[in-house]
Amino acid sequence: RALVLADGEFPSPQLLRELAEAADVVVAADGAADKALAAGIEPDVVIGDLDSVSGEARARLGPDRLLEDDDRYRTDLEKAIAWAIGRGCTAVDVAGFGGGRADHALANLSVLVLFRGQASIRLVDDQFEVRLVDGEARVEAEPGTVVSLVAIGTCRGVTTENLRWNLHDATLRFSPLGVHNEVEASPASVRVREGDLLLFQGRWVERHE
């Protein structure tokens, strides 16, 4: 399992520690190296064009942990995930993917689609765990846990079970439809026949009356 740190808004220190302790390797995408060190997390590898890594971080980590990749057609987050998968990681948690610019945050979500089938990837922050529904996904969570489904493009054959408001062979498009459902009974499930569907599993319970 790899923890990949993007150069965005980091989660709470407690969650970050939990993710780091569960990881076999910690990979920082460029400027995330400084944020990781400031949070008490020492990355095993820093990868990217390295234009955002401070001199202090370079000195602390040493040249062997700095992997320069100046491919301008891939983001540093893509490079970091690809490196982890190339080293045999089958599970990848991504933190620091949100905050700041909305275009960056949305583009970071696309890694779930780009690396489909290559590893089990989760984007994790203090509110959500986000994953791609690759055929089917199970949601094992307390009843009342918030769940949102966001279609990237058009998704056909969307069927859910054990959510409060279920869908049956539905078509979802990039729209608010699918946002803020909740688990009725665990485990819940989401299936999609065609298309790229993102599952946002909340880290809190919010029952609707």
Side-chain angles (χ1 to χ4, degrees), residues 152-164:
I152 304 300
T154 300
C155 293
R156 295 182 174 86
V158 179
T159 298
T160 66
E161 295 180 1
N162 287 339
L163 295 183
R164 182 165 181 182

Side-chain angles (χ1 to χ4, degrees), residues 7 99 192:
D7 193 12
V192 59

Side-chain angles (χ1 to χ4, degrees), residues 127-128 142-148 164-165 180-184 202-209:
Q127 290 188 307
F128 288 102
E142 180 181 347
T145 297
V146 172
V147 171
S148 288
R164 182 165 181 182
W165 297 282
H180 205 118
N181 207 327
E182 62 187 57
V183 173
E184 184 74 14
R203 301 175 66 84
W204 81 100
V205 170
E206 186 176 339
R207 296 177 183 273
H208 283 72
E209 298 298 332

Side-chain angles (χ1 to χ4, degrees), residues 89-187:
C89 293
T90 57
V92 178
D93 293 333
V94 179
F97 62 92
R101 288 173 47 170
D103 56 342
H104 284 178
L106 185 58
N108 286 343
L109 289 170
S110 73
V111 300
L112 293 168
V113 177
L114 290 175
F115 293 97
R116 178 201 300 270
Q118 299 181 50
S120 174
I121 300 178
R122 305 183 306 167
L123 275 62
V124 184
D125 63 15
D126 288 295
Q127 290 188 307
F128 288 102
E129 170 189 310
V130 192
R131 20 183 191 136
L132 178 71
V133 181
D134 192 6
E136 183 173 4
R138 287 167 57 89
V139 181
E140 297 183 0
E142 180 181 347
T145 297
V146 172
V147 171
S148 288
L149 301 175
V150 177
I152 304 300
T154 300
C155 293
R156 295 182 174 86
V158 179
T159 298
T160 66
E161 295 180 1
N162 287 339
L163 295 183
R164 182 165 181 182
W165 297 282
N166 282 312
L167 298 169
H168 303 280
D169 199 27
T171 296
L172 294 183
R173 294 178 173 83
F174 188 45
S175 73
L177 182 62
V179 169
H180 205 118
N181 207 327
E182 62 187 57
V183 173
E184 184 74 14
S186 183

Side-chain angles (χ1 to χ4, degrees), residues 1-2 24-25 27 45 47 67 79-90:
R1 177 176 294 275
D24 300 298
V25 61
V27 186
V45 171
I47 188 168
L67 303 181
K79 298 168 190 175
I81 294 173
W83 184 91
I85 293 174
R87 296 310 181 277
C89 293
T90 57

